Amino acid sequence: MLIWRGMGIAVPIIFFLTGLIVKWVSGDPDTRIGNPNFIGWTSLFSGIVILLLGLALLGSSEDENGNKVKKKHDFFWIPVFVWGLLLGVLSIYLLVIKGKGASNEPTSVISYDSTATAPEKVPTTRIVNFFNPTNDTLGFVIADDTKEGLIENGKVAPHSFEARELEKGTYMFVGFDTKGGNTLTLPDREFAGDEKKYRMHEDEKGSFYQRIVNAATKQTDDYDEAWLSLDGKSHLLVVNVTTACDPEVTEAAVKSADWAGSIQEENDARDMMEPLFMQFLPDETIKVVAPGEKLPTEIAENEVIYLLVPYAGKGDKNAVIAKAVLAARF
C-alpha cells in the first residue's frame, strides 16, 4: 500500500517514468533492482527531478481566509525533497563506489568479472535447426544472397534435426523428400510481404524474396535458436513442462495433465520459427528442450523448462503433447 500526502505520489511516478527512459536510451533489458547500472542511473536522474520538485513545494500557500498554510508533501512520511537527496546518494553509491569496487576486483582463471572493461563480443551468427518430424529422410537446401548462392545441400534422418550456424543476412530455404519433391519453400507467399521477416533480393537471375536471419542477441537469458520443419506442416508448440521434471512425477500424472493449457506459443511451420525469441524473464531462467531430447529431472528453484513439440494439426493437442512429454521424460 502506498502512503503519501500532497504531491508525494509524484516520487514513485517520476522514478518509474525515468526508469522507462533509461531503459529505452540504454537498450538494457535488465531492469531488475539487482542491476546497479540501471538503478544507479534511474536514481540519479529521477533524484534531480524529485529534488527540484521538492524544493519548489517548500513554500507556503494561502487558504480561503488568507492565512498562510504550509502543506505537507511526502511519500511514506518522507518529504519529497528528502527523497531527491536519498536517490542522489543511492546513485553515487551504485555508480561510483560500488562500480569502482567491482572494477578493482581481481580476475582469475576460475572467476570471471562481468563488469570488466573488456570489449563486449556482439554475436554475428544464429543457430538454425532443420527438423525432420516424419518417418522418411528429408533434405534441405540453404542459399544466401551472395553470387555463389548455394551454401549447403544436406539430409536429415527421421525424427531428428541438423543444426547450422548461419551468418546474419538473407536466405532461401528449401525442404525436399527422397523423390525430389519440395516439401518446404521459404519464403511462403503468405508471409513474404512482412518486411520485418523478408527482403526482396535482385540480381541477374531476377527478383525474389529471401528470409531475414538476424544474429543471436547478446543477452544470455533468452532463446535465440530458429527452427524449420522440413515437411512444411508440423508446427512447433512451446509447452511449459516444468512439472514433468519433478523426479517423483508418474506416467499416469503426465497422461492426465492439461498440457494444452500450458502451451506458451504455437509457431507456424510455413515460416522459419523463432520460439521465445527475445523473451526476457527477469526472475526466472528458461531452458528449451528440443524435440527428441530428454527432460531434466533436477532443476533449480527459479528454472522453467519448455519443450518444443511438433504438431501437424491432426489429433487432440493434449494427447499429442502428453505423448511427447512421456517420450522425453521416461
Side-chain angles (χ1 to χ4, degrees):
M1 182 177 66
L2 300 181
I3 301 174
W4 75 89
R5 286 184 293 185
M7 289 294 293
I9 189 60
V11 172
I13 294 175
I14 293 174
F15 186 85
F16 176 74
L17 293 177
T18 305
L20 293 179
I21 295 173
V22 170
K23 177 184 177 182
W24 176 70
V25 173
S26 66
D28 187 356
D30 186 1
T31 57
R32 293 174 293 179
I33 295 178
N35 183 351
N37 286 330
F38 172 75
I39 297 298
W41 288 111
T42 301
S43 299
L44 175 63
F45 296 126
S46 63
I48 293 174
V49 176
I50 292 172
L51 177 61
L52 294 176
L53 174 63
L55 293 176
L57 294 172
L58 287 178
S60 57
S61 58
E62 294 184 354
D63 60 12
E64 297 178 353
N65 299 321
N67 300 318
K68 289 187 176 181
V69 179
K70 190 173 183 180
K71 292 186 177 181
K72 293 186 178 181
H73 303 275
D74 51 51
F75 183 64
F76 282 106
W77 303 285
I78 300 176
V80 172
F81 80 94
V82 176
W83 274 107
L85 295 175
L86 292 175
L87 288 171
V89 173
L90 177 62
S91 68
I92 293 174
Y93 169 73
L94 292 175
L95 297 175
V96 180
I97 300 176
K98 189 171 182 179
K100 184 178 180 180
S103 63
N104 289 333
E105 291 179 1
T107 58
S108 65
V109 176
I110 297 177
S111 62
Y112 174 70
D113 180 10
S114 61
T115 62
T117 57
E120 185 176 13
K121 185 178 181 181
V122 178
T124 60
T125 62
R126 185 155 182 217
I127 298 295
V128 178
N129 298 288
F130 297 83
F131 176 52
N132 177 8
T134 72
N135 294 321
D136 302 314
T137 298
L138 295 180
F140 65 89
V141 173
I142 309 172
D144 67 1
D145 57 4
T146 65
K147 292 183 179 180
E148 288 77 12
L150 180 66
I151 295 179
E152 184 176 352
N153 185 337
K155 293 183 178 180
V156 184
H159 303 288
S160 62
F161 61 91
E162 293 284 339
R164 296 293 184 270
E165 187 172 6
L166 302 181
E167 291 285 341
K168 65 177 181 180
T170 60
Y171 296 82
M172 180 176 290
F173 300 105
V174 177
F176 59 90
D177 56 26
T178 54
K179 297 180 181 179
N182 287 355
T183 56
L184 172 71
T185 302
L186 291 185
D188 185 283
R189 290 185 178 181
E190 183 175 342
F191 302 101
D194 188 343
E195 295 182 354
K196 294 182 179 179
K197 294 184 176 181
Y198 291 93
R199 183 176 299 148
M200 177 68 75
H201 174 69
E202 298 181 3
D203 58 20
E204 63 277 3
K205 299 177 183 178
S207 302
F208 48 91
Y209 283 100
Q210 289 192 320
R211 182 60 158 86
I212 298 173
V213 175
N214 295 307
T217 59
K218 61 183 179 180
Q219 289 79 16
T220 59
D221 58 352
D222 64 345
Y223 182 75
D224 285 318
E225 295 186 23
W227 289 80
L228 291 169
S229 282
L230 294 179
D231 67 341
K233 300 177 181 179
S234 297
H235 310 311
L236 277 186
L237 307 178
V238 182
V239 186
N240 187 335
V241 296
T242 309
T243 55
C245 299
D246 187 328
E248 298 182 0
V249 74
T250 64
E251 294 187 33
V254 171
K255 291 179 181 179
S256 62
D258 177 22
W259 294 114
S262 297
I263 297 175
Q264 308 298 304
E265 294 181 10
E266 181 169 350
N267 294 267
D268 199 316
R270 296 169 297 169
D271 191 13
M272 187 175 78
M273 297 175 282
E274 302 172 306
L276 301 175
F277 183 58
M278 290 294 290
Q279 177 84 11
F280 296 101
L281 302 176
D283 299 322
E284 298 172 327
T285 300
I286 65 171
K287 179 179 180 180
V288 179
V289 179
E293 295 183 346
K294 289 294 184 180
L295 295 177
T297 55
E298 293 184 5
I299 60 175
E301 183 178 352
N302 64 335
E303 190 173 23
V304 178
I305 308 298
Y306 291 121
L307 177 65
L308 301 182
V309 179
Y311 177 69
K314 299 179 181 179
D316 178 59
K317 279 186 181 179
N318 202 73
V320 171
I321 298 171
K323 183 179 179 179
V325 175
L326 284 172
R329 178 64 178 79
F330 299 100

